[in-house]
């Protein structure tokens, strides 16, 4: 790492002890900025990089609620408003027992560069709670969301901070959150949250956007190598929002998804995942992935090993951070995988990314490949601001164009800074320059 950036990184380690995911995300970005710092001393002279590593505001709050047994439960809520140089803070909420400040900060930090890469006027932020929705009744989820928003509402707004979904937060949760915001503020402020239902201010394609967008990105990677999805074997991890719609688009484009997973194990299905059945099990019944295999003759369930041991041409991790370590990356390469595109945020460890680089696997980081979700959220904000709603086809077309633009920007930037073909260097530098130039223009704030 460049000496000046090493100093910034050391300061981040010292100021944010115990936040390993945040350290990892910062390291990954700073490590690729060496050529930028050499060319543009103004970024270090004005401390833009140091300022970028310190959130503008961090909010931590108590979320008390009463469960179905009448017991009081206490969770912890977070909102990290990381950077608003390009627009209102924007980024999802994650409800998962693993959530703590370090995870929210890593996600918020990534979000700054991802949002900048989309070219849309949105800053970066992220939030969530250590609440585990799994096994909770509808009533419990609603009461939790209402309590969460009862604190959060004072910090957000369509011009301030616009949360959305992430792990454990889908349309149902966004509905309860929006309902409580509306009730407390007495305002039908559609633009305060994205990922809303279609009948109450949501955008068509938002549900599908992250998964579809990732696959559009892979389509461009394939085109770049004069190839296509035709007949490609694809493994997608997870079976939530991003995974399901990635699988749908892969199948539409002629590939075959042969395995997917959840936190209890994975299923292989060499005939290709039956999407209707998967949606029924995961979206309607909110069941476990094993139930898919129980109802599908060609599928097998395993809770031993990893979904990344299944042979494939293309890997789309779409579950969670650090799910592919060095050993699994080696396994993927040995099994013939040539493209990895991150639907999830930071699913590959730094060692895994190095394995991909050494093996010349084309690797697209989440901040580029999964930016379609937040980009479509920004389209939802545009529709809300103009009290309009666009049809599915034209919205999907916009998403496809945005992903294509991000793909090309990554490669052009990588070329310009001496790292041809590196999507991660290109994404980090292009996102960084966009947000840093805005910060320079706005002065020391
Ligand atoms: P969902 O909650 O809809 O689905 C998450 C999926 O990943 C589930 O199948 C879940 O299994 C699995 N999973 C979660 N945590 C773990 C874990 N620790 N170990 C193994 N499996 C796990 O979330 P999303 O699909 O929305 O998000 C998936 C990823 O995509 C996340 O990294 C998120 O940050 C990223 N992302 C999401 C965007 C969006 O628009 N939703 C936008 C950009 C990125 P189980 O149900 O068993 O927990």
């Amino acid at each position: 790492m460049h000496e000046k950036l090493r100093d910034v990184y050391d300061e981040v380690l010292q100021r944010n002890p115990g936040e390993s995911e945040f350290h990892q995300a910062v390291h990954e970005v700073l490590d690729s900025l060496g050529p930028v710092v050499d060319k543009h001393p103004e970024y270090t002279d004005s401390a833009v990089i140091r300022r970028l590593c310190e959130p503008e505001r961090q909010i931590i709050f108590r979320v008390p609620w009463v469960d179905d047994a009448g017991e009081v439960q206490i969770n912890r809520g977070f909102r990290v408003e990381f950077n608003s140089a390009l627009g209102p803070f924007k980024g999802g909420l994650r409800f998962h027992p693993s959530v703590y400040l370090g995870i929210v900060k890593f996600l918020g930090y990534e979000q700054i560069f991802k949002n900048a890469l989309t070219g849309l006027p949105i800053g970066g932020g992220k939030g969530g709670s250590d609440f585990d929705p799994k096994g909770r009744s509808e009533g419990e989820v609603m009461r939790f969301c209402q309590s969460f928003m009862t604190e959060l509402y004072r910090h957000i707004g369509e011009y301030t901070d616009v949360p959305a979904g992430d792990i454990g937060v889908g349309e149902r949760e966004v509905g309860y959150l929006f309902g409580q915001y509306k009730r407390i503020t007495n305002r039908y402020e559609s633009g305060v949250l994205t990922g809303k239902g279609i009948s109450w201010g949501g955008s068509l394609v938002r549900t599908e956007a992250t998964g579809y967008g990732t696959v559009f990105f892979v389509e461009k990677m394939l085109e770049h190598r004069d190839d296509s999805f035709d007949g490609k074997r694809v493994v997608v991890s997870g079976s939530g929002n991003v995974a399901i719609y990635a699988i749908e688009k892969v199948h539409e484009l002629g590939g075959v998804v042969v395995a997917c997973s959840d936190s209890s194990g994975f299923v292989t299905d060499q005939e290709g995942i039956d999407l209707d059945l998967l949606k029924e099990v995961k979206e309607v019944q909110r069941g476990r992935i094993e139930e898919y295999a129980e109802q599908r003759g060609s599928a097998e369930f395993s809770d031993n090993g990893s979904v990344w041991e299944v042979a494939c041409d293309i890997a789309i991790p779409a579950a969670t951070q650090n799910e592919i370590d060095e050993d699994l990356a080696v396994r993927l390469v040995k099994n013939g995988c040539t493209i990895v595109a991150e639907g999830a945020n930071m699913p590959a460890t730094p060692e895994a990314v190095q394995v991909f680089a050494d093996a010349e696997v084309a690797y697209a980081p989440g901040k580029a490949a999964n930016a379609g979700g937040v980009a479509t959220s920004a389209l939802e904000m545009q529709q809300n601001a103009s009290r309009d709603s666009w049809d599915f086809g034209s919205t999907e077309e916009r998403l496809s164009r945005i992903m294509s633009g991000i793909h090309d920007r990554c490669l052009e930037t990588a070329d310009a800074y001496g790292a041809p073909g590196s999507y991660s260097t290109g994404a980090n530098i292009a996102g960084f320059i966009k947000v840093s130039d805005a910060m320079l223009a706005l002065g020391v704030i």
Side-chain angles (χ1 to χ4, degrees):
M1 191 184 287
H2 191 289
E3 193 190 337
K4 286 184 175 166
L5 295 161
R6 166 61 59 185
D7 290 346
V8 177
Y9 183 62
D10 287 344
E11 189 181 345
V12 167
L13 290 183
Q14 188 241 321
R15 286 170 69 82
N16 304 276
E19 297 177 358
S20 58
E21 296 85 357
F22 179 47
H23 302 163
Q24 184 182 334
V26 173
H27 190 279
E28 197 266 326
V29 172
L30 297 189
D31 207 21
S32 56
L33 295 183
V36 186
V37 168
D38 282 337
K39 221 171 172 171
H40 299 284
E42 65 271 24
Y43 295 134
T44 34
D45 294 348
S46 57
V48 162
I49 304 178
R50 284 175 59 215
R51 280 190 273 152
L52 256 171
C53 293
E54 183 70 19
E56 288 181 30
R57 190 177 297 118
Q58 306 181 56
I59 303 143
I60 303 181
F61 50 99
R62 180 175 65 197
V63 189
W65 56 283
V66 180
D67 69 16
D68 286 347
E71 300 276 330
V72 175
Q73 300 286 337
I74 310 283
N75 286 100
R76 188 169 285 176
F78 302 89
R79 187 72 185 165
V80 172
E81 298 181 332
F82 225 119
N83 193 293
S84 61
L86 293 175
F89 304 105
K90 180 90 198 84
L93 298 170
R94 175 176 293 192
F95 292 169
H96 192 271
S98 63
V99 167
Y100 78 107
L101 189 57
I103 285 194
V104 182
K105 272 159 80 173
F106 119 64
L107 290 164
Y109 187 75
E110 290 271 299
Q111 199 82 44
I112 303 170
F113 305 100
K114 180 189 306 190
N115 294 3
L117 264 181
T118 65
L120 296 163
I122 38 180
K126 200 81 184 189
S129 173
D130 57 359
F131 173 70
D132 187 358
K134 231 174 267 148
R136 290 294 180 187
S137 69
E138 285 281 331
E140 288 177 319
V141 170
M142 182 179 73
R143 289 195 295 280
F144 172 80
C145 289
Q146 290 175 338
S147 179
F148 186 87
M149 184 53 84
T150 300
E151 175 59 32
L152 186 69
Y153 88 96
R154 69 190 83 243
H155 306 290
I156 63 175
E158 66 177 312
Y159 297 110
T160 316
D161 182 356
V162 183
D166 189 77
I167 291 177
V169 179
E171 186 180 320
R172 173 181 65 169
E173 290 74 18
V174 171
Y176 295 145
L177 292 163
F178 184 68
Q180 185 72 351
Y181 182 87
K182 184 176 84 60
R183 183 186 188 196
I184 296 174
T185 59
N186 193 30
R187 279 165 63 86
Y188 204 105
E189 187 184 328
S190 301
V192 71
L193 285 166
T194 59
K196 300 181 293 296
I198 300 304
S199 60
W200 42 280
S203 171
L204 288 167
V205 192
R206 177 60 190 92
T207 305
E208 296 84 356
T210 309
Y212 277 22
T214 304
V215 176
F216 287 143
F217 196 97
V218 176
E219 193 184 23
K220 286 290 293 182
M221 295 169 87
L222 285 161
E223 265 175 43
H224 187 69
R225 318 166 116 209
D226 291 326
D227 204 347
S228 77
F229 263 110
D230 223 14
K232 293 281 184 307
R233 292 162 311 156
V234 182
V235 169
V236 176
S237 64
S239 47
N241 173 264
V242 179
I244 283 179
Y245 293 97
I247 295 170
E248 185 163 284
K249 190 50 81 180
V250 168
H251 285 173
E252 265 179 54
L253 295 179
V256 186
V257 177
V258 293
C260 66
S261 64
D262 66 13
S263 60
S264 64
F266 63 99
V267 291
T268 45
D269 189 341
Q270 294 300 335
E271 286 186 10
I273 296 290
D274 175 340
L275 198 68
D276 289 340
L277 177 57
L278 186 68
K279 283 184 177 175
E280 175 64 26
V281 169
K282 298 305 290 192
E283 290 187 336
V284 181
Q285 297 166 10
R286 294 181 185 269
R288 310 308 294 151
I289 199 71
E290 188 170 9
E291 293 162 38
Y292 171 90
E294 284 163 8
Q295 294 172 61
R296 171 97 168 151
S298 54
E300 257 182 60
F301 170 75
S302 173
D303 56 5
N304 190 9
S306 161
V307 71
W308 301 118
E309 291 163 17
V310 180
C312 63
D313 305 301
I314 298 170
I316 304 183
T320 194
Q321 65 275 357
N322 292 330
E323 56 172 294
I324 304 182
D325 63 14
E326 185 174 8
D327 289 348
L328 291 170
V330 168
R331 193 67 175 257
L332 272 167
V333 171
K334 266 197 189 141
N335 283 339
C337 176
T338 56
I339 291 183
V340 177
E342 297 185 339
N345 286 310
M346 210 169 72
T349 64
E351 297 77 19
V353 174
Q354 191 57 52
V355 170
F356 298 143
D358 293 344
E360 294 184 5
V361 167
Y363 161 74
K367 59 172 79 70
N370 72 36
V374 74
T376 309
S377 276
L379 302 183
E380 182 174 333
M381 290 162 75
Q382 285 181 29
Q383 292 169 77
N384 292 154
S386 56
R387 297 184 189 281
D388 197 1
S389 59
W390 307 338
D391 63 59
F392 194 97
S394 62
T395 315
E396 187 184 14
E397 173 57 31
R398 281 184 198 230
L399 168 65
S400 169
R401 262 187 280 128
I402 290 170
M403 297 315 295
S404 175
I406 296 173
H407 174 275
D408 295 351
R409 210 165 304 137
C410 287
L411 286 188
E412 284 157 19
T413 311
D415 268 350
Y417 283 87
S422 171
Y423 288 96
S424 50
T425 302
N428 286 338
I429 295 182
F432 169 79
I433 289 179
K434 175 114 197 198
V435 70
S436 297
D437 286 347
M439 288 174 74
L440 282 176
L442 299 185
V444 179
I445 52 170

PDB file of all heavy atoms in Angstrom, residues 145-167:
ATOM      1  N   CYS A 145     -40.447  -3.475  13.813  1.00  0.00           N
ATOM      2  CA  CYS A 145     -40.230  -2.420  12.804  1.00  0.00           C
ATOM      3  C   CYS A 145     -40.778  -1.084  13.297  1.00  0.00           C
ATOM      4  O   CYS A 145     -40.170  -0.026  13.097  1.00  0.00           O
ATOM      5  CB  CYS A 145     -40.908  -2.784  11.478  1.00  0.00           C
ATOM      6  SG  CYS A 145     -40.103  -4.132  10.609  1.00  0.00           S
ATOM      7  N   GLN A 146     -41.921  -1.118  13.945  1.00  0.00           N
ATOM      8  CA  GLN A 146     -42.514   0.133  14.433  1.00  0.00           C
ATOM      9  C   GLN A 146     -41.631   0.778  15.499  1.00  0.00           C
ATOM     10  O   GLN A 146     -41.409   1.991  15.502  1.00  0.00           O
ATOM     11  CB  GLN A 146     -43.925  -0.139  14.987  1.00  0.00           C
ATOM     12  CG  GLN A 146     -44.901  -0.484  13.862  1.00  0.00           C
ATOM     13  CD  GLN A 146     -46.283  -0.874  14.356  1.00  0.00           C
ATOM     14  OE1 GLN A 146     -46.453  -1.287  15.507  1.00  0.00           O
ATOM     15  NE2 GLN A 146     -47.273  -0.769  13.483  1.00  0.00           N
ATOM     16  N   SER A 147     -41.090  -0.056  16.381  1.00  0.00           N
ATOM     17  CA  SER A 147     -40.227   0.494  17.426  1.00  0.00           C
ATOM     18  C   SER A 147     -38.939   1.046  16.818  1.00  0.00           C
ATOM     19  O   SER A 147     -38.449   2.113  17.204  1.00  0.00           O
ATOM     20  CB  SER A 147     -39.904  -0.595  18.458  1.00  0.00           C
ATOM     21  OG  SER A 147     -39.062  -0.077  19.457  1.00  0.00           O
ATOM     22  N   PHE A 148     -38.394   0.315  15.837  1.00  0.00           N
ATOM     23  CA  PHE A 148     -37.162   0.750  15.159  1.00  0.00           C
ATOM     24  C   PHE A 148     -37.385   2.128  14.528  1.00  0.00           C
ATOM     25  O   PHE A 148     -36.583   3.049  14.685  1.00  0.00           O
ATOM     26  CB  PHE A 148     -36.805  -0.304  14.102  1.00  0.00           C
ATOM     27  CG  PHE A 148     -35.496  -0.094  13.399  1.00  0.00           C
ATOM     28  CD1 PHE A 148     -34.308  -0.587  13.916  1.00  0.00           C
ATOM     29  CD2 PHE A 148     -35.446   0.591  12.184  1.00  0.00           C
ATOM     30  CE1 PHE A 148     -33.087  -0.404  13.252  1.00  0.00           C
ATOM     31  CE2 PHE A 148     -34.243   0.779  11.519  1.00  0.00           C
ATOM     32  CZ  PHE A 148     -33.058   0.280  12.057  1.00  0.00           C
ATOM     33  N   MET A 149     -38.513   2.283  13.837  1.00  0.00           N
ATOM     34  CA  MET A 149     -38.770   3.551  13.138  1.00  0.00           C
ATOM     35  C   MET A 149     -39.108   4.676  14.113  1.00  0.00           C
ATOM     36  O   MET A 149     -38.849   5.853  13.830  1.00  0.00           O
ATOM     37  CB  MET A 149     -39.898   3.355  12.111  1.00  0.00           C
ATOM     38  CG  MET A 149     -40.179   4.579  11.269  1.00  0.00           C
ATOM     39  SD  MET A 149     -38.701   5.252  10.449  1.00  0.00           S
ATOM     40  CE  MET A 149     -38.607   4.239   8.974  1.00  0.00           C
ATOM     41  N   THR A 150     -39.647   4.325  15.273  1.00  0.00           N
ATOM     42  CA  THR A 150     -40.000   5.354  16.250  1.00  0.00           C
ATOM     43  C   THR A 150     -38.767   6.145  16.666  1.00  0.00           C
ATOM     44  O   THR A 150     -38.848   7.323  17.009  1.00  0.00           O
ATOM     45  CB  THR A 150     -40.705   4.693  17.460  1.00  0.00           C
ATOM     46  OG1 THR A 150     -41.869   4.050  16.960  1.00  0.00           O
ATOM     47  CG2 THR A 150     -41.086   5.706  18.515  1.00  0.00           C
ATOM     48  N   GLU A 151     -37.605   5.525  16.623  1.00  0.00           N
ATOM     49  CA  GLU A 151     -36.368   6.273  16.858  1.00  0.00           C
ATOM     50  C   GLU A 151     -35.772   6.812  15.552  1.00  0.00           C
ATOM     51  O   GLU A 151     -35.358   7.964  15.452  1.00  0.00           O
ATOM     52  CB  GLU A 151     -35.335   5.367  17.549  1.00  0.00           C
ATOM     53  CG  GLU A 151     -33.975   6.021  17.725  1.00  0.00           C
ATOM     54  CD  GLU A 151     -33.997   7.312  18.556  1.00  0.00           C
ATOM     55  OE1 GLU A 151     -34.837   7.413  19.475  1.00  0.00           O
ATOM     56  OE2 GLU A 151     -33.186   8.218  18.259  1.00  0.00           O
ATOM     57  N   LEU A 152     -35.764   5.949  14.515  1.00  0.00           N
ATOM     58  CA  LEU A 152     -35.034   6.329  13.288  1.00  0.00           C
ATOM     59  C   LEU A 152     -35.657   7.534  12.573  1.00  0.00           C
ATOM     60  O   LEU A 152     -34.953   8.285  11.899  1.00  0.00           O
ATOM     61  CB  LEU A 152     -34.976   5.124  12.327  1.00  0.00           C
ATOM     62  CG  LEU A 152     -34.122   5.323  11.079  1.00  0.00           C
ATOM     63  CD1 LEU A 152     -32.630   5.401  11.451  1.00  0.00           C
ATOM     64  CD2 LEU A 152     -34.329   4.181  10.066  1.00  0.00           C
ATOM     65  N   TYR A 153     -36.986   7.721  12.721  1.00  0.00           N
ATOM     66  CA  TYR A 153     -37.683   8.698  11.864  1.00  0.00           C
ATOM     67  C   TYR A 153     -37.077  10.098  11.965  1.00  0.00           C
ATOM     68  O   TYR A 153     -37.049  10.852  10.999  1.00  0.00           O
ATOM     69  CB  TYR A 153     -39.193   8.764  12.215  1.00  0.00           C
ATOM     70  CG  TYR A 153     -39.524   9.739  13.299  1.00  0.00           C
ATOM     71  CD1 TYR A 153     -39.946  11.034  12.983  1.00  0.00           C
ATOM     72  CD2 TYR A 153     -39.385   9.403  14.638  1.00  0.00           C
ATOM     73  CE1 TYR A 153     -40.219  11.951  13.974  1.00  0.00           C
ATOM     74  CE2 TYR A 153     -39.659  10.308  15.630  1.00  0.00           C
ATOM     75  CZ  TYR A 153     -40.074  11.586  15.292  1.00  0.00           C
ATOM     76  OH  TYR A 153     -40.348  12.499  16.278  1.00  0.00           O
ATOM     77  N   ARG A 154     -36.549  10.449  13.149  1.00  0.00           N
ATOM     78  CA  ARG A 154     -36.043  11.822  13.348  1.00  0.00           C
ATOM     79  C   ARG A 154     -34.740  12.070  12.589  1.00  0.00           C
ATOM     80  O   ARG A 154     -34.295  13.194  12.475  1.00  0.00           O
ATOM     81  CB  ARG A 154     -35.868  12.109  14.846  1.00  0.00           C
ATOM     82  CG  ARG A 154     -34.756  11.351  15.496  1.00  0.00           C
ATOM     83  CD  ARG A 154     -34.744  11.459  17.036  1.00  0.00           C
ATOM     84  NE  ARG A 154     -35.670  10.515  17.662  1.00  0.00           N
ATOM     85  CZ  ARG A 154     -36.724  10.865  18.398  1.00  0.00           C
ATOM     86  NH1 ARG A 154     -37.004  12.130  18.621  1.00  0.00           N
ATOM     87  NH2 ARG A 154     -37.501   9.951  18.934  1.00  0.00           N
ATOM     88  N   HIS A 155     -34.124  10.998  12.093  1.00  0.00           N
ATOM     89  CA  HIS A 155     -32.826  11.143  11.422  1.00  0.00           C
ATOM     90  C   HIS A 155     -32.926  11.059   9.894  1.00  0.00           C
ATOM     91  O   HIS A 155     -31.930  11.265   9.210  1.00  0.00           O
ATOM     92  CB  HIS A 155     -31.875  10.046  11.901  1.00  0.00           C
ATOM     93  CG  HIS A 155     -31.739  10.003  13.393  1.00  0.00           C
ATOM     94  ND1 HIS A 155     -31.097  10.987  14.113  1.00  0.00           N
ATOM     95  CD2 HIS A 155     -32.198   9.109  14.307  1.00  0.00           C
ATOM     96  CE1 HIS A 155     -31.152  10.691  15.408  1.00  0.00           C
ATOM     97  NE2 HIS A 155     -31.818   9.558  15.548  1.00  0.00           N
ATOM     98  N   ILE A 156     -34.085  10.662   9.369  1.00  0.00           N
ATOM     99  CA  ILE A 156     -34.165  10.397   7.924  1.00  0.00           C
ATOM    100  C   ILE A 156     -35.156  11.337   7.245  1.00  0.00           C
ATOM    101  O   ILE A 156     -35.871  12.078   7.904  1.00  0.00           O
ATOM    102  CB  ILE A 156     -34.534   8.915   7.651  1.00  0.00           C
ATOM    103  CG1 ILE A 156     -35.917   8.584   8.215  1.00  0.00           C
ATOM    104  CG2 ILE A 156     -33.472   7.990   8.237  1.00  0.00           C
ATOM    105  CD1 ILE A 156     -36.395   7.164   7.882  1.00  0.00           C
ATOM    106  N   GLY A 157     -35.184  11.283   5.920  1.00  0.00           N
ATOM    107  CA  GLY A 157     -36.099  12.124   5.158  1.00  0.00           C
ATOM    108  C   GLY A 157     -35.673  12.102   3.703  1.00  0.00           C
ATOM    109  O   GLY A 157     -34.527  11.752   3.400  1.00  0.00           O
ATOM    110  N   GLU A 158     -36.579  12.482   2.803  1.00  0.00           N
ATOM    111  CA  GLU A 158     -36.249  12.316   1.379  1.00  0.00           C
ATOM    112  C   GLU A 158     -35.046  13.138   0.933  1.00  0.00           C
ATOM    113  O   GLU A 158     -34.399  12.807  -0.046  1.00  0.00           O
ATOM    114  CB  GLU A 158     -37.462  12.592   0.485  1.00  0.00           C
ATOM    115  CG  GLU A 158     -37.941  14.017   0.499  1.00  0.00           C
ATOM    116  CD  GLU A 158     -39.106  14.233  -0.472  1.00  0.00           C
ATOM    117  OE1 GLU A 158     -39.002  13.795  -1.629  1.00  0.00           O
ATOM    118  OE2 GLU A 158     -40.121  14.843  -0.060  1.00  0.00           O
ATOM    119  N   TYR A 159     -34.740  14.248   1.660  1.00  0.00           N
ATOM    120  CA  TYR A 159     -33.557  15.040   1.305  1.00  0.00           C
ATOM    121  C   TYR A 159     -32.384  14.787   2.250  1.00  0.00           C
ATOM    122  O   TYR A 159     -31.356  15.452   2.155  1.00  0.00           O
ATOM    123  CB  TYR A 159     -33.891  16.540   1.317  1.00  0.00           C
ATOM    124  CG  TYR A 159     -34.928  16.912   0.288  1.00  0.00           C
ATOM    125  CD1 TYR A 159     -36.209  17.294   0.671  1.00  0.00           C
ATOM    126  CD2 TYR A 159     -34.634  16.843  -1.075  1.00  0.00           C
ATOM    127  CE1 TYR A 159     -37.170  17.609  -0.277  1.00  0.00           C
ATOM    128  CE2 TYR A 159     -35.595  17.152  -2.020  1.00  0.00           C
ATOM    129  CZ  TYR A 159     -36.852  17.528  -1.622  1.00  0.00           C
ATOM    130  OH  TYR A 159     -37.804  17.834  -2.556  1.00  0.00           O
ATOM    131  N   THR A 160     -32.567  13.891   3.197  1.00  0.00           N
ATOM    132  CA  THR A 160     -31.542  13.692   4.233  1.00  0.00           C
ATOM    133  C   THR A 160     -30.914  12.314   4.131  1.00  0.00           C
ATOM    134  O   THR A 160     -29.700  12.166   3.963  1.00  0.00           O
ATOM    135  CB  THR A 160     -32.191  13.814   5.638  1.00  0.00           C
ATOM    136  OG1 THR A 160     -33.063  14.913   5.647  1.00  0.00           O
ATOM    137  CG2 THR A 160     -31.147  13.926   6.710  1.00  0.00           C
ATOM    138  N   ASP A 161     -31.751  11.298   4.268  1.00  0.00           N
ATOM    139  CA  ASP A 161     -31.257   9.932   4.371  1.00  0.00           C
ATOM    140  C   ASP A 161     -32.406   9.016   3.983  1.00  0.00           C
ATOM    141  O   ASP A 161     -33.503   9.116   4.556  1.00  0.00           O
ATOM    142  CB  ASP A 161     -30.801   9.671   5.826  1.00  0.00           C
ATOM    143  CG  ASP A 161     -30.216   8.275   6.006  1.00  0.00           C
ATOM    144  OD1 ASP A 161     -30.214   7.483   5.051  1.00  0.00           O
ATOM    145  OD2 ASP A 161     -29.768   7.982   7.135  1.00  0.00           O
ATOM    146  N   VAL A 162     -32.151   8.143   3.013  1.00  0.00           N
ATOM    147  CA  VAL A 162     -33.225   7.321   2.434  1.00  0.00           C
ATOM    148  C   VAL A 162     -32.867   5.835   2.556  1.00  0.00           C
ATOM    149  O   VAL A 162     -32.181   5.275   1.696  1.00  0.00           O
ATOM    150  CB  VAL A 162     -33.445   7.698   0.949  1.00  0.00           C
ATOM    151  CG1 VAL A 162     -34.604   6.903   0.362  1.00  0.00           C
ATOM    152  CG2 VAL A 162     -33.684   9.196   0.798  1.00  0.00           C
ATOM    153  N   PRO A 163     -33.305   5.168   3.628  1.00  0.00           N
ATOM    154  CA  PRO A 163     -33.001   3.740   3.779  1.00  0.00           C
ATOM    155  C   PRO A 163     -33.789   2.864   2.798  1.00  0.00           C
ATOM    156  O   PRO A 163     -34.734   3.313   2.144  1.00  0.00           O
ATOM    157  CB  PRO A 163     -33.429   3.430   5.218  1.00  0.00           C
ATOM    158  CG  PRO A 163     -33.568   4.750   5.900  1.00  0.00           C
ATOM    159  CD  PRO A 163     -33.970   5.716   4.819  1.00  0.00           C
ATOM    160  N   ALA A 164     -33.387   1.586   2.727  1.00  0.00           N
ATOM    161  CA  ALA A 164     -34.056   0.590   1.879  1.00  0.00           C
ATOM    162  C   ALA A 164     -33.869  -0.771   2.549  1.00  0.00           C
ATOM    163  O   ALA A 164     -33.558  -0.836   3.741  1.00  0.00           O
ATOM    164  CB  ALA A 164     -33.417   0.614   0.489  1.00  0.00           C
ATOM    165  N   GLY A 165     -34.035  -1.856   1.799  1.00  0.00           N
ATOM    166  CA  GLY A 165     -33.875  -3.195   2.371  1.00  0.00           C
ATOM    167  C   GLY A 165     -32.457  -3.715   2.242  1.00  0.00           C
ATOM    168  O   GLY A 165     -31.598  -3.123   1.591  1.00  0.00           O
ATOM    169  N   ASP A 166     -32.199  -4.821   2.878  1.00  0.00           N
ATOM    170  CA  ASP A 166     -30.962  -5.599   2.753  1.00  0.00           C
ATOM    171  C   ASP A 166     -31.320  -6.959   3.372  1.00  0.00           C
ATOM    172  O   ASP A 166     -32.517  -7.314   3.426  1.00  0.00           O
ATOM    173  CB  ASP A 166     -29.789  -4.902   3.488  1.00  0.00           C
ATOM    174  CG  ASP A 166     -28.430  -5.551   3.199  1.00  0.00           C
ATOM    175  OD1 ASP A 166     -27.877  -5.314   2.118  1.00  0.00           O
ATOM    176  OD2 ASP A 166     -27.930  -6.328   4.036  1.00  0.00           O
ATOM    177  N   ILE A 167     -30.335  -7.686   3.870  1.00  0.00           N
ATOM    178  CA  ILE A 167     -30.630  -8.994   4.464  1.00  0.00           C
ATOM    179  C   ILE A 167     -31.700  -8.840   5.552  1.00  0.00           C
ATOM    180  O   ILE A 167     -31.583  -7.983   6.429  1.00  0.00           O
ATOM    181  CB  ILE A 167     -29.348  -9.632   5.062  1.00  0.00           C
ATOM    182  CG1 ILE A 167     -28.384 -10.020   3.943  1.00  0.00           C
ATOM    183  CG2 ILE A 167     -29.692 -10.839   5.930  1.00  0.00           C
ATOM    184  CD1 ILE A 167     -27.054 -10.589   4.429  1.00  0.00           C
TER     185      ILE A 167
END
